[in-house]
Amino acid sequence: MNWFQKMSKEVNGITLFYDSLAKYPVPFREKIIGRLESNYKKPGELFLLAACHTQKTLTNYHGLNWKQWVQKCIQYETKNDANNVLFQALTLLGDGYQAEHNYDTCVFYLVKAVEIAQQLNYKPKHLVGSCVLASHALYNTKNYRQCIEYCRYALKHKSLLDSWGVIAAQNNLGLCYQKTGNYDSAILIYRQNARFAKDNHITIWWAIS
């Protein structure tokens, strides 16, 4: 059970998960978070809960947007060294910046998240997705060697990825091989990706490949 699931509580007879908040009107939603805030003793987790709430609902909470709440979480949890909440916060912020194509900023947060996961000895099933996510930012910031390292790790455990995760890792790996002049390896990876897309009936990517 992750910490998001642990945040499930009975509030006014409602079993609450963070991602169900959008179902309720804003005043009631904020009242729920306020009650959790008054009873819950882990500020970092609450800051991250507020970040998830404000990002999902495109609202502010106590005058702060989702990025500001994530920053508060990171500042608080950094004092406690590497931990699961810090990993979640870095991933959330990095993913948000990547969605905005702000690669120079997102690469710092996503790589740091992977480093923390490694420090915490996360099992591959919890790490491969972060490596694929970070590989996009690494490629777009021309950090080709590190991108290759992350993609190779993810593909070493590709049975833990969904089909699109495998395609993303193989594509980023092929692009990096191409950019570093390793053309034979790039062609091999592209062919593997086309075959994988065909075998898994992902016709859009098969056509692109």
Side-chain angles (χ1 to χ4, degrees):
M1 179 179 290
N2 61 34
W3 80 265
F4 281 137
Q5 292 170 316
K6 292 177 182 176
M7 289 298 291
S8 173
K9 290 180 178 293
E10 288 291 328
V11 181
N12 291 345
I14 297 172
T15 301
L16 175 70
F17 285 88
Y18 88 96
D19 59 358
S20 69
L21 288 172
K23 298 176 182 178
Y24 303 105
V26 172
F28 182 61
R29 210 160 49 214
E30 294 185 351
K31 182 179 179 181
I32 290 174
I33 295 180
R35 289 200 174 192
L36 294 177
E37 194 172 1
S38 64
N39 295 323
Y40 210 70
K41 306 303 180 183
K42 296 182 179 181
E45 294 186 3
L46 281 167
F47 297 156
L48 189 50
L49 178 68
C52 293
H53 158 61
T54 50
Q55 184 195 42
K56 189 174 184 68
T57 58
L58 301 177
T59 60
N60 286 358
Y61 180 63
H62 289 333
L64 301 180
N65 62 33
W66 75 270
K67 288 181 181 176
Q68 292 169 316
W69 279 112
V70 180
Q71 289 288 4
K72 280 175 68 72
C73 177
I74 291 172
Q75 291 169 6
Y76 181 85
E77 293 296 337
T78 298
K79 301 173 186 177
N80 300 322
D81 299 318
N83 61 68
N84 295 322
V85 177
L86 184 56
F87 166 78
Q88 296 275 0
L90 291 166
T91 301
L92 180 65
L93 191 57
D95 191 33
Y97 277 118
Q98 183 149 257
E100 298 170 355
H101 305 291
N102 188 344
Y103 300 113
D104 289 330
T105 302
C106 81
V107 70
F108 168 79
Y109 293 110
L110 294 179
V111 169
K112 187 65 178 175
V114 171
E115 291 173 350
I116 286 178
Q118 291 169 334
Q119 291 175 35
L120 295 171
N121 295 316
Y122 276 19
K123 294 181 179 178
K125 67 178 180 179
H126 300 304
L127 186 54
V128 289
S130 296
C131 287
V132 174
L133 187 63
S135 75
H136 296 300
L138 289 166
Y139 172 75
N140 282 290
T141 53
K142 300 181 180 180
N143 290 288
Y144 302 128
R145 299 294 180 186
Q146 193 170 9
C147 182
I148 288 171
E149 176 189 339
Y150 280 22
C151 290
R152 282 176 172 170
Y153 176 84
L155 292 171
K156 180 181 177 181
H157 305 282
K158 72 178 187 177
S159 63
L160 302 173
L161 294 168
D162 62 19
S163 296
W164 282 106
V166 173
I167 284 176
Q170 291 184 154
N171 183 61
N172 289 340
L173 182 58
L175 290 170
C176 287
Y177 280 147
Q178 184 175 338
K179 289 290 187 180
T180 55
N182 196 342
Y183 300 114
D184 289 340
S185 294
I187 292 171
L188 177 62
I189 288 293
Y190 290 146
R191 286 175 176 169
Q192 288 177 353
N193 221 16
R195 187 162 53 250
F196 181 87
K198 182 178 180 180
D199 291 345
N200 287 273
H201 309 291
I202 304 175
T203 54
I204 293 176
W205 195 265
W206 180 25
I208 293 173
S209 300

